[in-house]
Amino acid sequence: MNATPIKVLVIDDEPPIRKLLRMGLSTQGYEILEASNGKNALELLAQNPALIILDLGLPDIQGHELLRMIRGRNDSVPIVVLSSRGDEAGKVQALDLGADDYLTKPFGMDELLARMRAALRHQLQVHGERPVFRSGDLSVDLVRRIVKVGEREVKLSPKEYELLRVLVQHAGKVLTHRFLLKELWDELTDAQYLRVYVRQLRQKIEADPERPQFVLTETGIGYRLRAAD
């Protein structure tokens, strides 16, 4: 689907490893930020990556120290550590410092992708979100960003997906026009933009967009997504 890609920060001083990760992750729809040292990595944190892949063997900042520094600035972003060190003490130290998972080089791309998905699911669960939301025939996978109605995958634009994601996060709750406008644009944006995207979303997920079963209108107030089953 055409959803906004998940941004991943890759921190590794080896160009072949960065190239491998860039190629492997890009084909899976991830957006890649690259840092070859700790200083550059700390600068790129300002771009709010959704997940970090961290090599511990960096030239300027010791890996465990960089991990501590990252956690001091962002205590929730999932971090998957890569290292040529396989000793248990190094793994335990990284995990104690806040890493979510640990892979030893050489590693398989399929295993890394699975560990990344698990770390993203865990973050969602910590924040009280379900990795997969289901209401009737509608399912929304918040990790893979896949939306289905029954067995049919629904193709959404980035903004349509963001609207649905916000509704999913607050399923069963009435969300005012002002809240949705502030979440998706800013509260000064014309509410007509919101109505257009709600209409487009309904065209794609509702059996009868004129009689919606999922995205419900609270007249004069806003919208509500039918609660999860």
Side-chain angles (χ1 to χ4, degrees):
M1 59 179 290
N2 297 320
T4 305
I6 296 174
K7 192 180 297 183
V8 176
L9 172 57
V10 173
I11 308 170
D12 198 301
D13 67 329
E14 298 181 62
I17 296 294
R18 293 202 307 275
K19 181 179 179 180
L20 171 68
L21 292 171
R22 180 172 66 251
M23 294 176 63
L25 298 180
S26 296
T27 61
Q28 298 297 313
Y30 293 99
E31 177 185 344
I32 309 304
L33 304 173
E34 296 182 38
S36 60
N37 56 59
K39 181 177 181 294
N40 188 211
L42 292 173
E43 293 170 349
L44 288 174
L45 283 180
Q47 297 194 33
N48 297 316
L51 183 140
I52 294 173
I53 298 174
L54 170 63
D55 172 35
L56 294 179
L58 297 173
D60 58 340
I61 302 176
Q62 199 273 340
H64 288 99
E65 179 58 26
L66 179 59
L67 177 54
R68 182 183 289 108
M69 294 169 73
I70 292 172
R71 275 288 171 250
R73 300 185 182 194
N74 188 322
D75 62 2
S76 63
V77 61
I79 300 175
V80 177
V81 166
L82 298 179
S83 179
S84 56
R85 294 174 53 187
D87 62 289
E88 185 174 337
K91 293 181 181 181
V92 170
Q93 184 181 4
L95 295 170
D96 282 344
L97 287 171
D100 294 81
D101 209 336
Y102 193 114
L103 277 178
T104 303
K105 297 179 180 179
F107 58 89
M109 184 57 66
D110 287 343
E111 182 179 10
L112 174 61
L113 288 166
R115 300 290 185 92
M116 290 170 59
R117 290 193 295 268
L120 288 166
R121 286 192 189 96
H122 178 258
Q123 184 195 40
L124 291 170
Q125 290 166 343
V126 166
H127 287 81
E129 298 180 43
R130 299 185 181 190
V132 180
F133 169 88
R134 291 187 175 87
S135 178
D137 291 337
L138 175 67
S139 69
V140 183
D141 188 323
L142 294 166
V143 172
R144 296 174 183 268
R145 299 193 170 200
I146 294 175
V147 179
K148 288 185 176 181
V149 177
E151 296 301 315
R152 174 177 63 90
E153 184 172 340
V154 180
K155 306 297 182 182
L156 299 180
S157 72
K159 188 60 73 175
E160 289 165 355
Y161 177 81
E162 289 304 307
L163 169 59
L164 181 57
R165 179 185 61 79
V166 173
L167 289 167
V168 165
Q169 289 175 329
H170 302 278
K173 179 180 178 180
V174 177
L175 303 181
T176 65
H177 297 117
R178 181 172 180 174
F179 176 86
L180 288 167
L181 288 169
K182 188 174 181 180
E183 287 290 303
L184 298 168
W185 296 280
D186 62 67
E187 57 186 310
L188 300 179
T189 302
D190 193 321
Q192 181 61 26
Y193 285 101
L194 178 59
R195 288 190 285 270
V196 167
Y197 280 101
V198 169
R199 182 166 62 250
Q200 290 175 180
L201 180 60
R202 283 173 170 165
Q203 291 287 343
K204 295 181 178 182
I205 69 172
E206 301 281 3
D208 183 352
E210 298 302 317
R211 297 177 177 80
Q213 299 298 308
F214 300 122
V215 182
L216 309 176
T217 299
E218 300 293 332
T219 305
I221 302 174
Y223 300 95
R224 172 172 57 86
L225 184 68
R226 197 176 90 183
D229 295 333

